[in-house]
Amino acid sequence: MSPLSGSLAPLNMKGLVKFQDVSFAYPNHPNVQVLQGLTFTLYPGKVTALVGPNGSGKSTVAALLQNLYQPTGGKVLLDGEPLVQYDHHYLHTQVAAVGQEPLLFGRSFRENIAYGLTRTPTMEEITAVAMESGAHDFISGFPQGYDTEVGETGNQLSGGQRQAVALARALIRKPRLLILDQATSALDAGNQLRVQRLLYESPEWASRTVLLITHQLSLAERAHHILFLKEGSVCEQGTHLQLMERGGCYRSMVEALAAPSDAAAHHHHHH
Protein backbone atom coordinates (compact mmCIF):
# COMPACT_ATOMS: atom_id res chain seq x y z
CA MET A 1 0.00 0.00 0.00
CA SER A 2 1.71 3.20 -1.11
CA PRO A 3 1.29 6.17 1.21
CA LEU A 4 -1.22 8.74 0.06
CA SER A 5 0.47 11.67 -1.57
CA GLY A 6 -0.74 15.23 -1.93
CA SER A 7 0.83 17.99 -3.96
CA LEU A 8 1.99 20.57 -1.41
CA ALA A 9 5.69 21.40 -1.65
CA PRO A 10 6.22 24.86 -0.14
CA LEU A 11 9.59 26.55 -0.63
CA ASN A 12 9.81 27.62 2.98
CA MET A 13 8.84 25.25 5.69
CA LYS A 14 9.01 26.21 9.35
CA GLY A 15 8.57 22.70 10.74
CA LEU A 16 5.78 23.41 13.22
CA VAL A 17 4.10 20.11 14.07
CA LYS A 18 0.73 19.69 15.74
CA PHE A 19 -0.97 16.52 16.83
CA GLN A 20 -4.63 17.42 17.33
CA ASP A 21 -6.68 14.89 19.25
CA VAL A 22 -5.00 12.05 17.37
CA SER A 23 -6.23 8.48 17.77
CA PHE A 24 -4.66 5.55 16.06
CA ALA A 25 -5.07 1.80 15.74
CA TYR A 26 -2.91 -0.32 13.43
CA PRO A 27 -4.92 -1.66 10.46
CA ASN A 28 -4.31 -5.28 11.49
CA HIS A 29 -5.50 -4.58 15.08
CA PRO A 30 -8.36 -2.11 14.58
CA ASN A 31 -9.71 -2.63 18.11
CA VAL A 32 -6.47 -1.76 19.89
CA GLN A 33 -6.20 1.99 20.36
CA VAL A 34 -2.47 2.72 20.44
CA LEU A 35 -2.97 6.48 20.61
CA GLN A 36 -6.03 8.21 22.00
CA GLY A 37 -6.80 11.92 22.07
CA LEU A 38 -3.11 12.71 21.65
CA THR A 39 -2.49 16.46 21.49
CA PHE A 40 0.87 18.21 21.50
CA THR A 41 3.01 20.67 19.53
CA LEU A 42 6.61 20.40 18.33
CA TYR A 43 8.22 23.80 17.87
CA PRO A 44 10.95 24.81 15.43
CA GLY A 45 14.21 25.48 17.25
CA LYS A 46 13.25 23.18 20.09
CA VAL A 47 14.29 19.68 21.02
CA THR A 48 11.23 17.88 22.36
CA ALA A 49 11.82 14.61 24.20
CA LEU A 50 9.13 11.95 24.10
CA VAL A 51 9.43 9.58 27.05
CA GLY A 52 7.25 6.99 28.73
CA PRO A 53 6.94 3.27 29.38
CA ASN A 54 7.24 0.64 26.65
CA GLY A 55 4.05 0.25 24.66
CA SER A 56 2.90 3.80 25.36
CA GLY A 57 2.88 4.61 21.62
CA LYS A 58 6.18 6.47 21.19
CA SER A 59 7.27 4.73 17.99
CA THR A 60 3.75 5.03 16.58
CA VAL A 61 4.11 8.81 16.89
CA ALA A 62 7.31 8.55 14.83
CA ALA A 63 5.53 6.44 12.18
CA LEU A 64 2.65 8.94 11.87
CA LEU A 65 5.09 11.84 11.56
CA GLN A 66 6.67 10.11 8.58
CA ASN A 67 3.22 9.67 7.02
CA LEU A 68 3.68 5.89 7.07
CA TYR A 69 0.14 5.68 8.43
CA GLN A 70 -2.82 8.04 8.68
CA PRO A 71 -4.40 8.76 12.05
CA THR A 72 -7.74 7.00 12.56
CA GLY A 73 -9.01 10.14 14.30
CA GLY A 74 -7.79 13.71 14.68
CA LYS A 75 -5.09 15.42 12.64
CA VAL A 76 -1.34 15.50 12.23
CA LEU A 77 -0.46 18.98 10.95
CA LEU A 78 2.80 20.28 9.56
CA ASP A 79 2.87 24.07 9.26
CA GLY A 80 -0.90 23.98 9.63
CA GLU A 81 -1.58 21.51 6.81
CA PRO A 82 -2.42 17.83 7.22
CA LEU A 83 0.66 15.73 6.55
CA VAL A 84 -1.18 13.77 3.88
CA GLN A 85 -1.56 16.95 1.76
CA TYR A 86 2.19 17.14 1.14
CA ASP A 87 3.94 15.63 -1.81
CA HIS A 88 5.47 12.32 -0.78
CA HIS A 89 8.98 13.04 -2.12
CA TYR A 90 8.92 16.56 -0.76
CA LEU A 91 8.01 15.26 2.69
CA HIS A 92 10.94 12.89 2.43
CA THR A 93 13.32 15.82 2.01
CA GLN A 94 11.84 17.72 4.97
CA VAL A 95 11.39 14.94 7.52
CA ALA A 96 14.23 12.60 8.44
CA ALA A 97 13.95 9.76 10.92
CA VAL A 98 16.62 7.54 12.42
CA GLY A 99 15.55 4.40 14.26
CA GLN A 100 17.24 2.16 16.78
CA GLU A 101 18.24 -0.43 14.18
CA PRO A 102 18.67 1.56 10.98
CA LEU A 103 18.87 -0.09 7.59
CA LEU A 104 22.11 0.26 5.69
CA PHE A 105 22.37 -0.61 2.02
CA GLY A 106 24.89 -2.86 0.29
CA ARG A 107 26.70 0.13 -1.15
CA SER A 108 29.66 2.26 -0.14
CA PHE A 109 29.62 4.31 3.05
CA ARG A 110 29.60 7.38 0.85
CA GLU A 111 26.49 6.24 -1.02
CA ASN A 112 24.82 5.22 2.24
CA ILE A 113 25.27 8.72 3.65
CA ALA A 114 24.21 10.45 0.42
CA TYR A 115 21.23 8.11 -0.04
CA GLY A 116 17.95 9.89 -0.77
CA LEU A 117 19.52 13.28 -1.45
CA THR A 118 18.28 15.01 -4.58
CA ARG A 119 21.77 16.28 -5.39
CA THR A 120 25.22 14.74 -5.16
CA PRO A 121 27.01 16.03 -2.07
CA THR A 122 30.69 16.87 -2.01
CA MET A 123 33.15 14.68 -0.16
CA GLU A 124 33.63 17.58 2.30
CA GLU A 125 29.92 17.57 3.15
CA ILE A 126 29.96 13.82 3.63
CA THR A 127 32.98 13.82 5.94
CA ALA A 128 31.57 16.79 7.87
CA VAL A 129 28.34 14.98 8.81
CA ALA A 130 30.23 11.75 9.48
CA MET A 131 32.40 13.67 11.94
CA GLU A 132 29.30 15.10 13.61
CA SER A 133 27.71 11.69 14.01
CA GLY A 134 30.89 9.91 15.09
CA ALA A 135 31.14 7.75 11.96
CA HIS A 136 34.23 9.35 10.44
CA ASP A 137 36.85 7.66 12.60
CA PHE A 138 35.85 4.09 11.94
CA ILE A 139 35.04 4.69 8.25
CA SER A 140 38.45 6.22 7.60
CA GLY A 141 39.94 3.22 9.39
CA PHE A 142 38.98 0.97 6.45
CA PRO A 143 41.59 0.70 3.67
CA GLN A 144 39.03 1.96 1.14
CA GLY A 145 37.62 4.56 3.52
CA TYR A 146 34.31 6.01 2.33
CA ASP A 147 34.38 3.76 -0.76
CA THR A 148 34.26 0.64 1.42
CA GLU A 149 31.21 -1.46 0.57
CA VAL A 150 28.91 -1.65 3.59
CA GLY A 151 27.53 -4.99 2.39
CA GLU A 152 30.88 -6.60 3.01
CA THR A 153 31.27 -5.02 6.44
CA GLY A 154 27.60 -4.62 7.36
CA ASN A 155 27.57 -7.64 9.61
CA GLN A 156 30.86 -6.61 11.17
CA LEU A 157 29.58 -3.16 12.04
CA SER A 158 28.42 -2.68 15.61
CA GLY A 159 24.96 -1.30 16.37
CA GLY A 160 26.54 2.01 17.33
CA GLN A 161 28.45 2.22 14.06
CA ARG A 162 25.28 1.57 12.07
CA GLN A 163 23.49 4.29 14.04
CA ALA A 164 26.35 6.71 13.37
CA VAL A 165 26.11 6.12 9.60
CA ALA A 166 22.32 6.52 9.63
CA LEU A 167 22.61 9.72 11.68
CA ALA A 168 25.08 11.13 9.15
CA ARG A 169 22.56 10.27 6.41
CA ALA A 170 19.84 12.21 8.25
CA LEU A 171 22.06 15.19 9.07
CA ILE A 172 23.27 15.75 5.52
CA ARG A 173 19.67 16.23 4.39
CA LYS A 174 19.26 19.17 6.79
CA PRO A 175 15.61 18.28 7.38
CA ARG A 176 13.14 20.70 8.96
CA LEU A 177 12.04 17.89 11.26
CA LEU A 178 14.44 15.32 12.64
CA ILE A 179 13.05 12.30 14.49
CA LEU A 180 15.49 10.29 16.57
CA ASP A 181 13.69 7.15 17.74
CA GLN A 182 16.14 5.51 20.20
CA ALA A 183 18.60 6.44 17.46
CA THR A 184 21.62 7.04 19.68
CA SER A 185 21.00 4.17 22.09
CA ALA A 186 24.05 2.19 20.94
CA LEU A 187 26.47 5.10 20.57
CA ASP A 188 29.25 5.34 23.13
CA ALA A 189 29.12 8.17 25.67
CA GLY A 190 31.51 10.40 23.70
CA ASN A 191 29.49 10.18 20.50
CA GLN A 192 26.21 10.63 22.34
CA LEU A 193 27.57 13.83 23.79
CA ARG A 194 28.72 14.90 20.35
CA VAL A 195 25.24 14.42 18.88
CA GLN A 196 23.67 16.25 21.84
CA ARG A 197 26.03 19.18 21.39
CA LEU A 198 25.16 19.33 17.73
CA LEU A 199 21.41 19.43 18.41
CA TYR A 200 21.58 21.92 21.27
CA GLU A 201 24.49 24.15 20.38
CA SER A 202 25.11 24.26 16.64
CA PRO A 203 23.67 27.25 14.74
CA GLU A 204 22.68 24.84 11.93
CA TRP A 205 20.12 23.20 14.22
CA ALA A 206 18.92 26.32 16.01
CA SER A 207 15.84 26.67 13.79
CA ARG A 208 14.97 23.03 13.20
CA THR A 209 12.42 20.83 14.94
CA VAL A 210 13.78 17.80 16.76
CA LEU A 211 11.80 14.96 18.32
CA LEU A 212 13.93 12.81 20.58
CA ILE A 213 12.27 9.51 21.52
CA THR A 214 14.36 7.94 24.24
CA HIS A 215 14.54 5.63 27.23
CA GLN A 216 17.69 7.36 28.39
CA LEU A 217 16.46 10.03 30.74
CA SER A 218 19.91 11.61 30.81
CA LEU A 219 19.28 12.53 27.16
CA ALA A 220 15.76 13.79 27.86
CA GLU A 221 16.89 15.96 30.77
CA ARG A 222 18.42 18.59 28.55
CA ALA A 223 15.46 18.84 26.14
CA HIS A 224 13.63 22.15 25.83
CA HIS A 225 10.36 20.33 26.37
CA ILE A 226 9.44 16.85 27.58
CA LEU A 227 6.25 14.97 26.74
CA PHE A 228 5.44 11.99 28.94
CA LEU A 229 3.37 9.50 27.00
CA LYS A 230 1.24 7.01 28.87
CA GLU A 231 -1.21 4.62 27.22
CA GLY A 232 -1.34 6.68 24.06
CA SER A 233 -1.89 10.14 25.47
CA VAL A 234 0.19 12.86 27.10
CA CYS A 235 0.17 12.30 30.84
CA GLU A 236 2.22 15.45 31.57
CA GLN A 237 4.59 17.84 29.85
CA GLY A 238 7.15 20.48 30.72
CA THR A 239 10.87 20.88 31.31
CA HIS A 240 12.87 18.40 33.39
CA LEU A 241 12.77 20.75 36.40
CA GLN A 242 9.04 21.44 36.08
CA LEU A 243 8.26 17.74 35.86
CA MET A 244 10.54 16.85 38.77
CA GLU A 245 8.79 19.48 40.92
CA ARG A 246 5.42 18.25 39.82
CA GLY A 247 6.12 14.80 41.24
CA GLY A 248 4.06 12.85 38.71
CA CYS A 249 4.76 10.10 36.15
CA TYR A 250 8.05 11.59 34.99
CA ARG A 251 9.52 11.96 38.43
CA SER A 252 8.46 8.43 39.39
CA MET A 253 10.22 7.11 36.30
CA VAL A 254 13.40 9.09 37.06
CA GLU A 255 13.39 7.85 40.65
CA ALA A 256 12.70 4.25 39.66
CA LEU A 257 15.64 4.31 37.25
CA ALA A 258 17.90 5.91 39.84
CA ALA A 259 16.83 3.59 42.66
CA PRO A 260 19.28 0.66 42.37
CA SER A 261 22.42 2.80 42.52
CA ASP A 262 20.97 5.00 45.28
CA ALA A 263 20.25 1.94 47.38
CA ALA A 264 23.81 0.76 46.96
CA ALA A 265 25.22 4.17 47.82
CA HIS A 266 22.90 4.43 50.79
CA HIS A 267 23.96 1.02 51.99
CA HIS A 268 27.57 2.11 51.65
CA HIS A 269 27.13 5.12 53.94
CA HIS A 270 26.06 2.99 56.86
CA HIS A 271 29.31 1.06 57.07
Side-chain angles (χ1 to χ4, degrees):
M1 193 189 96
S2 70
L4 297 166
S5 185
S7 57
L8 287 182
L11 278 174
N12 294 314
M13 168 161 291
K14 289 193 194 71
L16 178 72
V17 174
K18 285 193 170 167
F19 267 55
Q20 287 182 341
D21 200 23
V22 170
S23 305
F24 182 75
Y26 284 99
N28 48 350
H29 296 288
N31 300 328
V32 184
Q33 287 282 320
V34 185
L35 303 176
Q36 33 208 344
L38 181 55
T39 297
F40 65 81
T41 305
L42 304 178
Y43 294 96
K46 292 226 187 321
V47 176
T48 303
L50 185 62
V51 301
N54 272 333
S56 56
K58 298 190 297 287
S59 287
T60 304
V61 168
L64 288 176
L65 279 173
Q66 294 169 75
N67 201 33
L68 298 174
Y69 298 95
Q70 267 64 56
T72 34
K75 286 183 178 150
V76 178
L77 302 173
L78 179 56
D79 282 8
E81 300 286 352
L83 215 49
V84 72
Q85 301 291 335
Y86 289 94
D87 174 77
H88 174 63
H89 294 289
Y90 171 81
L91 204 58
H92 222 64
T93 64
Q94 302 291 320
V95 179
V98 186
Q100 185 166 10
E101 292 178 20
L103 216 63
L104 297 187
F105 307 100
R107 304 172 178 189
S108 68
F109 280 113
R110 185 171 41 166
E111 289 169 301
N112 264 281
I113 292 172
Y115 184 80
L117 267 186
T118 41
R119 53 186 182 82
T120 308
T122 65
M123 212 44 227
E124 285 78 18
E125 286 177 275
I126 288 177
T127 48
V129 291
M131 281 174 182
E132 288 174 339
S133 77
H136 179 71
D137 286 353
F138 74 82
I139 291 176
S140 40
F142 290 111
Q144 264 106 24
Y146 283 84
D147 293 322
T148 307
E149 289 287 318
V150 174
E152 293 155 27
T153 55
N155 310 335
Q156 291 130 299
L157 291 184
S158 70
Q161 289 172 329
R162 280 201 290 274
Q163 285 182 350
V165 174
L167 267 166
R169 178 196 294 158
L171 295 175
I172 203 167
R173 280 161 55 182
K174 298 185 167 55
R176 292 309 324 158
L177 169 63
L178 175 65
I179 304 160
L180 300 178
D181 186 0
Q182 318 281 357
T184 59
S185 57
L187 296 184
D188 61 39
N191 280 336
Q192 278 207 3
L193 203 61
R194 190 181 278 184
V195 171
Q196 270 204 64
R197 256 194 221 120
L198 176 75
L199 297 180
Y200 290 108
E201 294 162 27
S202 91
E204 175 62 54
W205 285 86
S207 64
R208 299 174 193 280
T209 309
V210 179
L211 179 65
L212 187 62
I213 302 176
T214 184
H215 286 308
Q216 293 163 293
L217 293 184
S218 57
L219 286 180
E221 235 174 78
R222 202 175 163 185
H224 301 112
H225 194 65
I226 298 170
L227 301 167
F228 194 105
L229 201 59
K230 192 177 176 185
E231 292 168 1
S233 50
V234 174
C235 149
E236 57 187 20
Q237 55 181 303
T239 62
H240 172 74
L241 287 173
Q242 286 168 343
L243 294 180
M244 288 305 282
E245 276 169 19
R246 192 169 162 174
C249 337
Y250 180 79
R251 182 166 169 175
S252 307
M253 193 176 196
V254 171
E255 286 173 350
L257 286 169
S261 52
D262 280 359
H266 200 68
H267 188 67
H268 198 71
H269 285 305
H270 285 295
H271 294 288

